[in-house]
């Protein structure tokens, strides 16, 4: 096998699990209701809001674009920052409840590929925009945080994806060069962030990201695949993949 592959770096939301539609979106709506706000983020609206990475940043964007008078009032009374922080904290608690109920399973092939990489001595890492408690809760629920040599999440960098900062950060933590690592992402923003950090990237699309531009990805799949649940190659060099293996990945470097 190609010994250049030393680490796999995973995005979380939309990549490890389909967290956005039935996880984060639902948690945002529950937090709005608990805070007596008559806001509702439908599946379609949430698809548009996903252009803004980060939960706090998404609330700020929504206030600016859809709740102008309230935003002005909060800004004038210097309550905007605390309003966003408190609402996001409520949303984080709701999201963790959803995870604890087991309502957000891993995507096909994630557990298999991670186990296989571990058994071959390939390091694992996380690079996500999501808040640290949300990432830890998902890993504790479905994988094991101890398997990951680096977990880079949330506000640890100033600029969130599509800026490359989180990938520079995780490479620093791993003490590895980009040419020895592969990234698995689900979105155009994630691809842009990883590519700008010099990383080869594999995309597994989901409902929200399937029509995005993934021209610079090494491989685009509908999911990672399982022996009894083959994946489809949507674009890329390797056309004959039933389920993505570490050997397939190593050939992409
Ligand atoms: C993930 C996100 C996050 C989640 C919510 O992007 O954009 O904002 O929707 O996370 P990526 P928090 O998968 O590209 O890292 O509410 O925890 O910020
Ligand atoms: Mg993602």
């Amino acid at each position: 096998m190609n010994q250049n592959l030393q680490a796999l770096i995973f995005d979380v939301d939309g990549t490890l699990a389909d967290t956005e539609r039935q996880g984060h979106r639902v948690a945002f709506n529950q937090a709005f209701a608990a805070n007596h706000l008559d806001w509702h983020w439908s599946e379609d609206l949430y698809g548009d809001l996903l252009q803004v990475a980060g939960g706090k940043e998404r609330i700020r964007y929504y206030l600016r674009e859809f709740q102008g008078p309230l935003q002005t009032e909060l800004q004038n009374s210097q309550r905007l920052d605390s309003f966003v922080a408190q609402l996001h904290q409520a949303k984080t608690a709701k999201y963790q409840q959803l995870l604890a109920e087991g309502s957000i399973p891993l995507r096909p092939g994630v557990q298999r590929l991670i186990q296989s990489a571990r058994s071959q001595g390939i390091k694992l890492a996380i690079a996500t925009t999501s808040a640290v408690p949300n990432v830890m809760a998902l890993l504790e629920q479905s994988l094991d945080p101890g398997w990951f040599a680096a977990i880079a999440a949330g506000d640890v960098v100033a600029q969130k994806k599509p800026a490359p900062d989180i990938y520079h950060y995780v490479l620093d933590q791993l003490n590895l060069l980009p040419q020895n690592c592969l990234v698995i992402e689900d979105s155009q923003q994630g691809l842009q962030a990883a590519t700008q950090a010099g990383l080869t990237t594999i995309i597994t699309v989901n409902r929200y990201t399937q029509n995005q531009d993934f021209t610079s990805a090494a491989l685009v799949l509908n999911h990672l695949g399982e022996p009894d649940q083959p994946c489809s190659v949507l674009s890329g060099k390797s056309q004959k993949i039933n389920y993505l293996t570490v050997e397939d990945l190593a050939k992409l470097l």
Side-chain angles (χ1 to χ4, degrees):
M1 197 180 55
N2 182 340
Q3 293 305 312
N4 291 334
L5 179 58
Q6 293 179 25
L8 286 183
I9 308 172
F10 285 85
D11 167 52
V12 174
D13 296 301
T15 300
L16 291 185
D18 202 355
T19 50
E20 295 291 7
R21 195 165 51 92
Q22 297 306 358
H24 290 294
R25 186 188 69 87
V26 174
F28 277 116
N29 284 328
Q30 290 176 348
F32 300 155
N35 283 274
H36 313 289
L37 294 163
D38 65 350
W39 306 355
H40 178 76
W41 289 0
S42 67
E43 291 191 13
D44 283 351
L45 172 61
Y46 196 69
D48 296 338
L49 297 175
L50 279 175
Q51 67 181 283
V52 181
K56 291 191 287 292
E57 292 77 1
R58 195 165 298 139
I59 294 170
R60 276 179 195 281
Y61 172 81
Y62 177 76
L63 269 164
R64 201 168 56 238
E65 297 297 319
F66 296 86
Q67 304 289 342
L70 176 60
Q71 197 227 22
T72 309
E73 187 191 318
L74 288 166
Q75 221 158 20
N76 289 345
S77 56
Q78 305 200 328
R79 285 183 297 136
L80 183 59
D81 288 352
S82 60
F83 174 87
V84 171
Q86 186 268 330
L87 195 54
H88 187 253
Q89 218 168 35
K91 176 260 167 179
T92 298
K94 299 287 183 192
Y95 179 75
Q96 295 199 16
Q97 266 169 29
L98 291 172
L99 278 174
E101 287 162 13
S103 34
I104 313 176
L106 294 178
R107 292 190 68 190
V110 168
Q111 177 80 248
R112 174 190 56 75
L113 185 64
I114 283 180
Q115 294 295 8
S116 170
R118 288 186 70 225
S119 71
Q120 298 185 48
I122 291 166
K123 285 186 178 168
L124 298 167
I126 293 288
T128 177
T129 297
S130 246
V132 174
N134 292 342
V135 181
M136 296 311 278
L138 180 80
L139 296 181
E140 273 154 20
Q141 177 78 21
S142 304
L143 297 158
D144 182 341
W147 296 345
F148 294 83
I151 297 177
D155 299 330
V156 71
V157 289
Q159 299 282 332
K160 293 187 175 168
K161 300 174 191 176
D165 304 29
I166 198 77
Y167 281 106
H168 288 309
Y169 180 90
V170 82
L171 286 169
D172 264 8
Q173 295 279 305
L174 289 169
N175 199 20
L176 289 175
L177 296 170
Q179 52 267 36
N180 297 122
C181 304
L182 282 173
V183 168
I184 306 189
E185 271 279 0
D186 72 306
S187 72
Q188 212 268 329
Q189 288 165 324
L191 173 61
Q192 207 176 316
T195 307
Q196 281 188 72
L199 287 150
T200 302
T201 305
I202 295 97
I203 297 288
T204 52
V205 299
N206 59 54
R207 217 190 100 189
Y208 278 134
T209 66
Q210 60 195 356
N211 297 320
Q212 295 179 348
D213 177 8
F214 294 123
T215 326
S216 60
L219 183 64
V220 184
L221 304 169
N222 60 339
H223 53 72
L224 294 173
E226 293 283 12
D228 61 352
Q229 190 182 354
C231 58
S232 306
V233 177
L234 305 178
S235 73
K237 281 179 252 162
S238 330
Q239 293 301 323
K240 285 190 227 120
I241 294 174
N242 281 330
Y243 57 94
L244 193 70
T245 63
V246 172
E247 290 71 23
D248 295 324
L249 283 172
K251 286 184 206 147
L252 295 171
L253 269 187

